[in-house]
Amino acid sequence: MRDKRGKPLLPTGVLIFFLVLGIAVGSYADVIIDNGSAGTSYTGTWTLSGGTSPYGSSSVWSRNGTTYTFAMSGQAAGTYEVLMWWSAWSSRATSVPVAINYTGGTSNITINQQQNTGKWNSLGTFYFNGSGSVTITAANGSTLSTCADAVQFRLVSANTAPVAVIDSITPSPASPGEAVTFTGHGTDAEGTIAAYEWKSSIDGTIGTASSFSTSTLSTGTHSITFRVQDNEGLWSSEVTSSLVVGT
């Protein structure tokens, strides 16, 4: 089929395919949250900054423990790279606390806002079940300024996290020096389970198999945590159980 100028037209089925593909890709779009836009909130006072090279039209600044949060919600579950942008100013702090709240935990890092200004800076890669947030805490000091400008959640993989299950811990309670057997498993919607990790609140890492036995646990009340990793490197949330060894 050709148009009035004699150029070939795409068949209707092909057009529909590309439209559907576009919708699917669009649903996995990266999320950029600029200061002052939907998804932001703050404590204390944040003032419009004169810093150079902001993302968008402006950035804001504050000091002494105030917070600024960038939150996404309603997105596709998956692994996202989190990036942050800050504008340049001579009083920017070199040690700014940032908390990345992802599914299953919080990662606390420190950034230097004297460096890498006016560009996207990676804070790491994390799994989000469709929602999460990044919170900046302004550095303390009457001569320091902390910038809040923009955060990007860049989708790396739509792979969902596996699920860990503790099947049994026997015997429980256990006597000192008695062999205790730990059994667990994991499930993954898109792949297979590739690694296991058991930890004790007293003894640290105690096993890396789905099932194992040990007689070297310390006397006391242990909080046992178990998690699994899928074949794409994504860890599950931890599940916990209690074990008493001795009296």
Side-chain angles (χ1 to χ4, degrees):
M1 184 181 295
R2 296 177 179 273
D3 62 14
K4 294 179 179 180
R5 294 171 295 177
K7 294 185 177 181
L9 293 173
L10 286 174
T12 302
V14 176
L15 287 173
I16 293 174
F17 170 78
F18 280 112
L19 285 171
V20 172
L21 180 62
I23 293 171
V25 171
S27 65
Y28 295 104
D30 300 335
V31 178
I32 297 178
I33 304 173
D34 198 2
N35 63 280
S37 64
T40 60
S41 60
Y42 59 88
T43 64
T45 301
W46 290 78
T47 305
L48 193 66
S49 173
T52 58
S53 303
Y55 180 85
S57 60
S58 66
S59 62
V60 293
W61 71 274
S62 190
R63 59 167 59 108
N64 295 332
T66 60
T67 63
Y68 203 100
T69 298
F70 301 81
M72 75 163 181
S73 62
Q75 302 302 312
T79 301
Y80 287 78
E81 182 183 15
V82 178
L83 304 100
M84 181 176 286
W85 186 301
W86 52 87
S87 62
W89 193 256
S90 60
S91 64
R92 291 289 186 253
T94 60
S95 184
V96 177
V98 175
I100 299 132
N101 302 295
Y102 58 92
T103 301
T106 299
S107 177
N108 295 291
I109 65 171
T110 301
I111 61 173
N112 182 350
Q113 291 195 339
Q114 285 287 340
Q115 298 178 349
N116 302 317
T117 60
K119 60 186 286 189
W120 288 116
N121 297 278
S122 179
L123 306 183
T125 302
F126 308 90
Y127 176 75
F128 295 91
N129 190 20
S131 62
S133 64
V134 176
T135 297
I136 304 168
T137 299
N140 292 313
S142 60
T143 62
L144 298 177
S145 67
T146 295
C147 174
D149 196 345
V151 167
Q152 179 178 180
F153 297 87
R154 180 182 295 165
L155 185 66
V156 175
S157 170
N159 174 38
T160 58
V163 177
V165 178
I166 295 176
D167 296 312
S168 63
I169 300 176
T170 55
S172 179
S175 301
E178 184 177 10
V180 178
T181 299
F182 298 81
T183 303
H185 73 277
T187 58
D188 185 58
E190 299 90 2
T192 59
I193 302 301
Y196 306 85
E197 182 182 74
W198 296 84
K199 285 187 177 181
S200 158
S201 58
I202 299 175
D203 295 327
T205 301
I206 56 175
T208 56
S210 60
S211 181
F212 72 100
S213 297
T214 179
S215 58
T216 61
L217 294 172
S218 301
T219 299
T221 300
H222 298 249
S223 177
I224 302 297
T225 61
F226 175 59
R227 64 175 185 163
V228 297
Q229 186 183 50
D230 68 15
N231 58 306
E232 293 190 45
L234 187 60
W235 285 99
S236 69
S237 297
E238 293 180 338
V239 290
T240 63
S241 185
S242 180
L243 170 66
V244 176
V245 178
T247 57

